[in-house]
């Protein structure tokens, strides 16, 4: 089942049928444990609305209202290698190797909800940075009681030169206007997402492909539950929270994003998050 936050309200897609929820408050709708079963019961009381199937992309909002967005880092080998390389001159490489092996994961605050971009929106590169990449990530939706209730796609935009200069600059490399995109929907399966699901990213410049990468989510070193438990250990989230689970795809060091680039991130079962760079 997929839940869309749209200009018309909350739209539920289930088995190729579309329903408009009578609930208009996104936070009330999503922040429930056992979300799949509860929504399934609700749609049994609703009539399908075929007109919702062709809703234009511009009507789809980011699947968020009052939730904070957090992120995990160095959860895939590729991220560990890229970070060690970019920070070696600053003497920071060892920290990434250590956090990859450590029991405690790296968790950082990524975005307040008002800073989050949905599909079709514009992500940004910082004006004081020369080396920027998108990070395609599986994102967990965790309800206020701590259970993983759904998934979406995330782009953890990152300034590699700022982060590489000194790991203490991480919040500036990661948190700025237009640095976080999630969407297009909240995917709420009956069981946990298929561990073989692939994450794919393509970047187009002037209609030509300049980068493509893919990885399956089971290449992540940590479990989704472990990350969610660490996040909720000392923090409460009254409306639930989103947690980006880290990137396993990093473009070569010669690559940097440019204004006008189109970034498409697809995760099997969820859909495609598409954003243009400004
Ligand atoms: O440690 C820096 C950030 C790591 C990150 O965002 C990732 O691995 O996805
Ligand atoms: Mg990341």
């Amino acid at each position: 089942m997929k839940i869309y936050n749209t200009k018309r309200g909350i739209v539920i897609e289930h088995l190729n049928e579309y329903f408009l929820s009578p609930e208009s408050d996104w936070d009330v709708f999503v922040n429930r444990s056992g979300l799949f079963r509860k929504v399934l019961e609700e749609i049994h009381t609703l009539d399908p609305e075929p007109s919702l199937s062709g809703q234009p992309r511009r009507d789809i909002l980011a699947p968020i209202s009052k939730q904070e967005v957090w992120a995990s880092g160095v959860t895939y080998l590729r991220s560990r290698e890229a970070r060690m390389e970019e920070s070696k001159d600053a003497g920071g490489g060892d920290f990434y190797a250590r956090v990859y092996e450590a029991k405690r994961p790296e968790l950082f605050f990524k975005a307040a909800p008002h800073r989050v971009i949905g599909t079709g929106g514009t992500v940004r590169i910082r004006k004081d940075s020369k080396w920027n990449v998108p990070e395609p990530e599986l994102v967990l939706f965790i309800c206020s009681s701590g259970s993983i209730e759904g998934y979406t796609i995330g782009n953890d935009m990152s300034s590699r030169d700022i982060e590489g200069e000194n790991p203490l600059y991480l919040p500036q490399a990661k948190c700025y206007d237009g640095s976080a995109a999630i969407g297009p929907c909240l995917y709420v399966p009956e069981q946990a997402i298929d561990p073989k699901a692939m994450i794919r990213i393509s970047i187009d410049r002037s209609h030509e492909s300049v980068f493509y990468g893919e990885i399956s989510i089971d290449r992540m070193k940590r479990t989704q539950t472990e990350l969610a438990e660490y996040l909720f250990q000392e923090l409460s989230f009254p409306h639930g929270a989103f947690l980006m689970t880290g990137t396993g795809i990093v473009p070569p060091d010669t690559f940097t994003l440019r204004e006008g680039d189109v970034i498409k991130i697809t995760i099997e079962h969820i859909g495609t998050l598409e954003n243009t760079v400004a």
Side-chain angles (χ1 to χ4, degrees), residues 117-217:
I117 319 294
T119 195
T122 303
V123 291
R124 286 187 58 249
I125 47 183
R126 286 184 68 113
K127 292 195 188 68
D128 58 354
S129 170
K130 291 194 166 44
W131 187 17
N132 291 274
V133 291
E135 293 191 351
E137 306 191 9
L138 176 71
V139 182
L140 312 177
F141 171 67
I142 310 159
C143 80
S144 53
S145 55
S147 54
I148 299 169
E149 297 295 334
Y151 307 85
T152 188
I153 303 170
N155 180 354
D156 171 22
M157 291 282 287
S158 303
S159 300
R160 292 192 65 190
D161 49 349
I162 296 178
E163 183 184 308
E165 190 180 335
N166 188 324
L168 294 178
Y169 293 153
L170 186 80
Q172 294 176 72
K174 293 285 190 177
C175 312
Y176 56 88
D177 289 339
S179 70
I182 67 168
C185 63
L186 184 65
Y187 168 58
V188 182
E190 188 169 9
Q191 314 279 333
I193 190 169
D194 174 6
K196 290 282 169 209
M198 296 296 293
I199 303 181
R200 299 190 169 91
I201 180 167
S202 65
I203 306 174
D204 289 357
R205 184 170 296 159
S206 308
H207 308 288
E208 303 236 322
S209 172
V210 287
F211 178 72
Y212 175 82
E214 60 177 30
I215 195 161
S216 60
I217 60 171

